[in-house]
Amino acid sequence: RKAHLDALAGLFGRAFFNDPLYEYVFPDATTRLMLAAWDLGKIVEYGLRFGEVYATSMLSGCAVWLPPGETDFTEERMAEVGMLDSATHIGAEPEARMMRFVTESEEFHRRVAPSPHWYLVLLGVDPPRQKQGIGSELIAPVLEKADKGKFPVYLETASPDNLHFYHRFGFEVCAEAALSAGGVYIWYMVRKPG
């Protein structure tokens, strides 16, 4: 619920603090937690309005999904949740780095998942609760929906540590590349239904 947004933003800020993408976007570790929480909180808000958000009862983990046919972040919808004001909240340079990731990832997204699909936008677990099965529990309901509807599932990750986790659920790397500015490597993964 919307009342959980601040708590979930904080959760994602902690969960992504050491993520290579967020280290690249927010290189200053003293401000990364706050700025990443704002940015990730907007993604959660977008998911609440236009997708599906699953969280544990104690808010120690959360998954944000966009459903088939709704997997593009539209400018109109982004404006509704305040995403277009990001430069005033996170700064112009971090916004430019994030937009580089978004622009380049959108191209890969369209290429590796051209048909209707589910999009796992975010999956995060509070660091003290990681490796306890929470991530698996959070993605299971939508993977089941995807299988029933015969839809593939798409995601991207900048963390090589995540590859094994997603492979266990049938995701395969369909493309991989460093951002054009260098420094961050992204894996684009798809899981076929079944």
Side-chain angles (χ1 to χ4, degrees), residues 149-172:
K150 306 278 190 240
F151 290 111
V153 181
Y154 166 84
L155 63 84
E156 64 264 329
T157 184
S159 175
D161 295 341
N162 292 340
L163 296 176
H164 176 70
F165 172 80
Y166 289 121
H167 279 302
R168 289 181 16 223
F169 295 96
F171 287 90
E172 295 296 332

Side-chain angles (χ1 to χ4, degrees), residues 49-85:
R49 288 202 191 179
F50 307 113
E52 297 185 15
V53 177
Y54 293 75
T56 61
S57 60
M58 301 300 289
L59 303 181
S60 57
C62 183
V64 178
W65 298 88
L66 294 179
E70 303 290 334
T71 54
D72 292 329
F73 281 78
T74 69
E75 193 168 315
E76 181 181 317
R77 288 179 171 185
M78 290 169 66
E80 283 185 46
V81 299
M83 289 174 120
L84 300 183
D85 301 330

Side-chain angles (χ1 to χ4, degrees), residues 82-170:
M83 289 174 120
L84 300 183
D85 301 330
S86 64
T88 60
H89 295 276
I90 67 173
E93 288 181 18
E95 182 192 43
R97 289 188 290 269
M98 181 57 77
M99 289 312 299
R100 185 173 300 118
F101 161 73
V102 168
T103 301
E104 293 179 23
S105 289
E106 284 176 347
E107 292 177 25
F108 281 101
H109 186 168
R110 282 191 285 277
R111 188 181 332 150
V112 304
S115 62
H117 60 278
W118 281 93
Y119 178 12
L120 177 56
V121 184
L122 285 178
L123 175 63
V125 177
D126 224 348
R129 300 295 312 276
Q130 291 176 359
K131 301 190 187 300
Q132 297 176 21
I134 293 171
S136 301
E137 289 177 20
L138 288 167
I139 66 172
V142 175
L143 295 183
E144 186 177 323
K145 281 185 185 184
D147 287 345
K148 285 182 181 173
K150 306 278 190 240
F151 290 111
V153 181
Y154 166 84
L155 63 84
E156 64 264 329
T157 184
S159 175
D161 295 341
N162 292 340
L163 296 176
H164 176 70
F165 172 80
Y166 289 121
H167 279 302
R168 289 181 16 223
F169 295 96

